[in-house]
Amino acid sequence: MEGWDPNTKSTLTQIPLLTTKAGPRDGAAWTSRLKEEYKALIAYTSMNKSKDNDWFRISAANPEGTRWKGKCWYVHNLLKYEFDLQFDIPVTYPATAPELELPELDGKTEKMYRGGKICLTVHFKPLWAKNCPRFGIAHALCLGLAPWLAAEIPILVDSGMIKHKDDVASSSES
């Protein structure tokens, strides 16, 4: 955690670490892992809400907990930009981090590939590998998606690659 800003460090230390090393093919152990994932997500969401930093909603899209969907948003210049968020849990999870997808941003930045998957290779994936199996979905959102949104969304907005929903609505009315 050396070199991290104090806010990131503080946030990360409040997200519970996971202990069960199990993936989708591991039966009852996967069920235990999912319970830990939910506890960590609830803790992270509660912490964000208490700090007035609510920025995502996700839930399992199937009973097995292998497909997740939701929304994430980023506020830039006092405007809220909201995006669909989805990802699958890899069969090699937790050794392999999930690939977070923002499909509507596909092709709008070089830091994205194959259908809107955000590129986390350089910084996040080595960190994930070092912390396997302690990191989970909440950690991927905190250390992967949050900094990606903070780095990319202002650039995409300022370059005109994405528009605010109100700008799109007013231009279609004219």
Side-chain angles (χ1 to χ4, degrees):
M1 285 199 236
E2 288 180 35
W4 290 7
D5 70 276
N7 189 38
T8 301
K9 220 184 252 191
S10 170
T11 299
L12 186 60
T13 60
Q14 294 177 58
I15 301 172
L17 296 173
L18 291 76
T19 58
T20 305
K21 186 175 183 176
R25 297 187 282 192
D26 294 324
W30 173 240
T31 302
S32 295
R33 173 73 185 209
L34 271 177
K35 287 178 184 176
E36 290 181 32
E37 295 280 3
Y38 277 114
K39 285 179 185 175
L41 281 165
I42 290 166
Y44 185 39
T45 302
S46 297
M47 176 184 44
N48 284 340
K49 285 183 179 187
S50 73
K51 294 179 178 180
D52 198 26
N53 188 29
D54 194 25
W55 64 274
F56 72 90
R57 294 274 182 282
I58 62 166
S59 60
N62 64 8
E64 300 80 25
T66 58
R67 179 90 178 134
W68 292 73
K69 289 187 174 197
K71 297 273 187 190
C72 63
W73 52 92
Y74 186 81
V75 176
H76 178 64
N77 292 336
L78 302 178
L79 296 174
K80 180 179 174 181
Y81 295 86
E82 187 173 88
F83 310 98
D84 290 331
L85 168 64
Q86 62 188 33
F87 57 93
D88 293 314
I89 299 295
V91 293
T92 54
Y93 190 83
T96 305
E99 293 181 309
L100 307 173
E101 303 171 39
L102 303 172
E104 63 211 272
L105 296 182
D106 186 22
K108 296 194 183 238
T109 172
E110 293 176 9
K111 294 182 181 164
M112 182 170 275
Y113 62 101
R114 290 181 301 160
K117 294 179 181 175
I118 65 173
C119 183
L120 299 173
T121 306
V122 176
H123 302 290
F124 180 69
K125 291 201 177 181
L127 184 62
W128 180 277
K130 181 180 174 185
N131 288 282
C132 174
R134 298 172 301 199
F135 277 6
I137 295 167
H139 300 88
L141 296 172
C142 176
L143 297 173
L145 184 58
W148 189 93
L149 289 170
E152 293 299 310
I153 298 308
I155 293 168
L156 292 171
V157 170
D158 293 345
S159 69
M161 293 297 288
I162 59 175
K163 304 259 186 241
H164 188 264
K165 64 183 177 190
D166 292 342
D167 292 341
V168 173
S170 65
S171 66
S172 65
E173 291 171 2
S174 0

